[in-house]
Each structure stands twice: as structure tokens, then as C-alpha cells.
Amino acid sequence: HMGGDEVLSKCWNASEGIRNWMLLKGWNLEEDDFHRLWGYFQEKALESVDSVSNGNKPLITLWTSSLTKEPYIDEYLDKSRYIIQIWTRGTSSDILPILKRGYRVIISNNNALYFDCGGPSWVGSGNNWCSPYIGWQKVYDNNLDQIAGSYKSQVLGGEAAIWSEQIDEYTLDYRLWPRSSALAERLWSNPVEGWRDAESRILLHRERLVANGIQAEALQPEWCLQNENECPVNKI
């Protein structure tokens, strides 16, 4: 995985050495030129990987970014070498053009698979940028086939992301579990049924996790687990 997210041309433009190098190459200092620089970096990075891969030419993963948009994706990213990891919302208009070009993708749409969402902002007031909190129900119902549509054969899988700005060894378990279990069932069996059919099972599974020393998040009052047919959610 080569990353590729949050590459800012203004950082390169702030470097006299980089500006002079680009000008010596006969380039300008416009946005297209900085994407050209980015493409050049990717070319050299790929050469470095290939130089130690014994001719295997491994696949490289990149996050969606401005480089994966038109026209740059066509100029700099070979679909036979690059897998694109989708972090935008599942309804983003950026996804279809990538799939139409034949790229294989991994889906990590932030509106369902970013597990650090919903906390306080760590750089200002209010909540963090991808709030609100994403419940296990939304994780479970996040159907990758629906996101990809007729291009679902190009979806290699999905991955939950949990970024470390507000996560440490004391908070990791309850942020990951049991939501990761909901994702696992979605990826492994791609159930036709929605989260309601899985509710009683995930409540029991949460208890298994806790019994094995994992500090998994509580999903409902214990009374609901003990009285499945009486808990209000089952009457909706």
C-alpha cells in the first residue's frame, strides 16, 4: 500500500528545491504540473518496488485522491498495477468513473467503515469530521455490491479503517468490537437479510467476545438479551 491520500501540492510549492527542480524539467508550477510531479513520484516508487520483486510486478494499492480522478488517473495509474481503495462516501460520484475504467477496488467508504467517526474534534470544537458515530447496523447493511453496481466483480473486498488520532490501547477494543464482527459477516457471506435478522446473534457474539477478554462495546441493555421477544426494538 503506497497511501496516496492527503497529498498537498501547496507543500511541494513551498519548497524552493522542488520548485527549481520542476522548472529545470521545463514544467510550470500549476496544479497540473504538481500532479505531473506526483505521477513522476509514483513511477519512481513503482520502479523501486519492481527492482526488488524478482520480476513479480506486485499490485499496488492507493487511496482515492485527486490523482484517481480524470484526467490524472488515465495519465499516471496503470489499472493492471494499481488497486484503488475507496474512502469517500459510498454514494460518491468519484467511484463509478474508477470502476468504468476497469480498476479493481477495495471499499472503505467513510460513511460506514470509518470506525473512528463520532468522537469530539481533535483539532477544534464540535465533533470530528466524519461524525456521527457509525453503529453496527450501518456497518452490517453496507452492501458492497450495491455500491459497485454492475461492476461488483471488480470489488476485491472491504476494509474498516480506524485512525489513531483518538485511539490508543485503552479505547481500541470497544471501537473495533463488535462492529468488526458485523463487517466480517457482511464480507464473508454477503447476507441478503438486513441487520434485524442478525441482531440476536450479534448480541450473543458480543458476550462471547467479552468472555474472551475483549472489551467489546455494549449494544443494548442486558435485559434485551435476556428477553429477546420483549425488547422494544423487536416490536418495530
Side-chain angles (χ1 to χ4, degrees):
H1 203 305
M2 286 191 182
D5 185 28
E6 299 183 8
V7 174
L8 300 177
S9 60
K10 66 180 180 181
C11 294
W12 285 332
N13 202 14
S15 167
E16 183 179 0
I18 290 178
R19 292 198 308 272
N20 289 339
W21 184 88
M22 292 174 67
L23 293 172
L24 284 172
K25 295 279 284 185
W27 302 353
N28 295 315
L29 300 177
E30 304 298 329
E31 194 64 29
D32 283 349
D33 299 288
F34 285 107
H35 279 87
R36 188 176 182 180
L37 175 63
W38 190 351
Y40 178 86
F41 170 84
Q42 284 300 142
E43 177 187 345
K44 294 302 179 183
L46 195 60
E47 288 177 2
S48 296
V49 171
D50 288 347
S51 69
V52 295
S53 66
N54 298 318
N56 293 324
K57 292 189 175 182
L59 294 170
I60 303 298
T61 305
L62 285 178
W63 287 104
T64 44
S65 66
S66 58
L67 195 68
T68 63
K69 294 182 180 180
E70 301 171 336
Y72 308 117
I73 188 171
D74 298 318
E75 295 181 41
Y76 304 120
L77 301 178
D78 182 351
K79 66 184 177 185
S80 71
R81 295 300 307 276
Y82 285 99
I83 296 167
I84 308 301
Q85 188 163 2
I86 307 293
W87 71 267
T88 55
R89 295 181 66 84
T91 55
S92 171
S93 59
D94 294 339
I95 300 174
L96 189 57
I98 293 171
L99 291 168
K100 280 184 175 180
R101 284 170 165 78
Y103 287 88
R104 289 157 289 186
V105 301
I106 298 168
I107 295 180
S108 300
N109 51 309
N110 65 55
N111 60 311
L113 297 181
Y114 267 35
F115 285 2
D116 51 324
C117 297
S121 174
W122 60 280
V123 291
S125 61
N127 294 332
N128 61 17
W129 71 273
C130 59
S131 292
Y133 184 84
I134 298 166
W136 77 268
Q137 298 94 331
K138 192 165 188 177
V139 176
Y140 192 89
D141 284 349
N142 189 58
N143 191 312
L144 277 56
D145 287 353
Q146 292 176 1
I147 292 174
S150 60
Y151 300 95
K152 63 182 182 181
S153 63
Q154 294 165 222
V155 178
L156 300 182
E159 181 181 18
I162 185 164
W163 305 107
S164 60
E165 293 92 347
Q166 295 169 289
I167 303 294
D168 60 18
E169 66 270 30
Y170 302 105
T171 57
L172 181 62
D173 271 7
Y174 88 87
R175 291 288 190 100
L176 273 179
W177 305 101
R179 291 187 294 172
S180 293
S181 302
L183 174 61
E185 182 157 304
R186 168 55 57 190
L187 297 182
W188 288 339
S189 59
N190 198 24
V192 176
E193 300 80 11
W195 67 267
R196 290 192 184 280
D197 294 279
E199 183 181 32
S200 60
R201 290 187 289 107
I202 200 168
L203 293 178
L204 289 170
H205 186 62
R206 187 264 174 180
E207 299 307 310
R208 294 191 195 100
L209 292 170
V210 172
N212 281 278
I214 296 174
Q215 303 300 307
E217 180 184 29
L219 299 179
Q220 291 182 4
E222 189 174 0
W223 190 91
C224 292
L225 180 63
Q226 297 168 342
N227 301 271
E228 180 183 345
N229 295 322
E230 298 298 325
C231 200
V233 74
N234 290 293
K235 292 186 176 181
I236 294 175

